[in-house]
Amino acid sequence: MNLKITHTTDYVYDAPLHYALQRLRLTPQDGYGQKVLSWQLDLEGANAEVPYEDHMGNITTLISCHGDSHTIRIRVSGEVETIDRTGVVGPHAGFVPLWLYLRQTPLTTPGKGIHKLVKETPPAESLPMLHDLMGRIHKQVIYKIGITTSETTAEEALEHGEGVCQDHSHLFISAARVLGIPARYVSGYMLLEGTAEQAASHAWAEVHIEDLGWVGFDVANNQAPDARYVRIATGLDYSDAAPISGIRLGNAEESLAVSIRIEQ
């Protein structure tokens, strides 16, 4: 499947921005069932400073903005060829040791709710057990926008009973780590049926299973990632794989608008 993606992020400020430095994780890589046919980063109101590969192996670009600009536009676009591997990504690679993916983070630290969820997980071989876990989280946390934020923890999302793909992923990752299974967060894109326009990028989880390597679980949709998915970045949680993060100096008020288009 060939997926054409355009992702535009507009920051608008009510006063000149004194200075800003942002980290972009918006570039896909070849491998893991995908091949990048074309990809381009366009900036308005900002300058690309340096590209590099971060500690998780994600292609990252630093951009800066200073002076009289009131707006920053970040736009990536391109085409990625994908194949369906029923969620199987493959062997672990990179500088980060596998054991690090057992470490809980502030966003995934389990509380009573997640420990109860794990305790109720029926014993089984890893793959069936994890599919059961995915299904139960999908039922317990209803997909709903506007209830949680990027700072909501997995335990808080479980308490709310509502959240988005980021919350589903953190919950699954937290529970998998309690079970002693390495788990990581994945940011990327997913082709939706019936519409090309999307308001946000997507997120899912991967766990490392012996003999299979990394395997994806899209808890928000209760399914394995297939050819409709494009992987962009991975990390211990959202903060490692966020599409855009950074700092800004000054008192200007910021408004944000995101538009994403994914089509064949």
Side-chain angles (χ1 to χ4, degrees):
M1 182 177 288
N2 283 15
L3 300 178
K4 299 173 183 175
I5 300 166
T6 302
H7 181 172
T8 304
T9 305
D10 288 315
Y11 294 93
V12 179
Y13 301 93
D14 65 354
L17 194 59
H18 180 64
Y19 182 75
L21 187 65
Q22 293 184 315
R23 180 192 299 115
L24 310 184
R25 297 188 190 90
L26 289 166
T27 303
Q29 301 183 57
D30 289 339
Y32 314 112
Q34 66 186 34
K35 180 180 180 182
V36 182
L37 303 178
S38 64
W39 200 258
Q40 180 172 327
L41 167 65
D42 296 301
L43 300 171
E44 295 179 22
N47 301 313
E49 296 292 346
V50 61
Y52 64 96
E53 186 175 306
D54 72 10
H55 60 296
M56 292 292 177
N58 304 313
I59 297 177
T60 308
T61 304
L62 282 182
I63 67 169
S64 67
C65 175
H66 52 83
D68 296 330
S69 177
H70 284 64
T71 63
I72 300 175
R73 166 165 283 194
I74 302 166
R75 182 178 184 269
V76 291
S77 58
E79 185 171 2
V80 181
E81 179 184 340
T82 61
I83 60 173
D84 184 4
R85 295 167 52 132
T86 59
V88 178
V89 174
H92 179 63
F95 301 112
V96 179
L98 201 53
W99 56 259
L100 190 65
Y101 294 98
L102 289 167
R103 192 183 76 182
Q104 300 286 9
T105 70
L107 287 172
T108 68
T109 298
K112 290 181 180 178
I114 292 175
H115 280 294
K116 182 173 182 289
L117 183 73
V118 171
K119 191 175 291 185
E120 293 170 348
T121 301
E125 295 294 325
S126 292
L127 204 53
M129 177 183 66
L130 290 164
H131 277 283
D132 177 84
L133 177 64
M134 176 171 65
R136 287 188 295 115
I137 294 174
H138 178 77
K139 285 182 180 177
Q140 290 188 38
V141 180
I142 306 302
Y143 186 90
K144 189 170 184 179
I145 297 172
I147 303 298
T148 56
T149 72
S150 61
E151 298 178 351
T152 301
T153 68
E155 187 70 27
E156 289 170 341
L158 186 61
E159 291 173 5
H160 291 319
E162 295 172 325
V164 295
C165 56
Q166 175 184 311
D167 305 303
H168 289 109
S169 302
H170 283 155
L171 256 170
F172 187 82
I173 290 166
S174 176
R177 289 173 181 164
V178 172
L179 288 163
I181 301 172
R184 65 187 180 188
Y185 185 98
V186 186
S187 65
Y189 302 103
M190 175 191 171
L191 176 68
L192 296 177
E193 186 175 347
T195 179
E197 304 295 336
Q198 300 183 25
S201 55
H202 194 42
W204 58 97
E206 289 177 352
V207 299
H208 191 273
I209 298 174
E210 196 172 350
D211 299 330
L212 284 176
W214 289 104
V215 180
F217 290 82
D218 180 0
V219 185
N221 292 292
N222 196 25
Q223 64 190 18
D226 54 26
R228 295 170 296 168
Y229 291 68
V230 172
R231 299 168 85 264
I232 297 291
T234 63
L236 295 182
D237 60 24
Y238 168 79
S239 57
D240 281 336
I244 301 175
S245 60
I247 59 169
R248 62 185 172 92
L249 302 179
N251 298 318
E253 292 293 326
E254 177 185 274
S255 61
L256 170 68
V258 176
S259 66
I260 298 174
R261 184 175 181 85
I262 305 173
E263 56 191 337
Q264 281 188 270

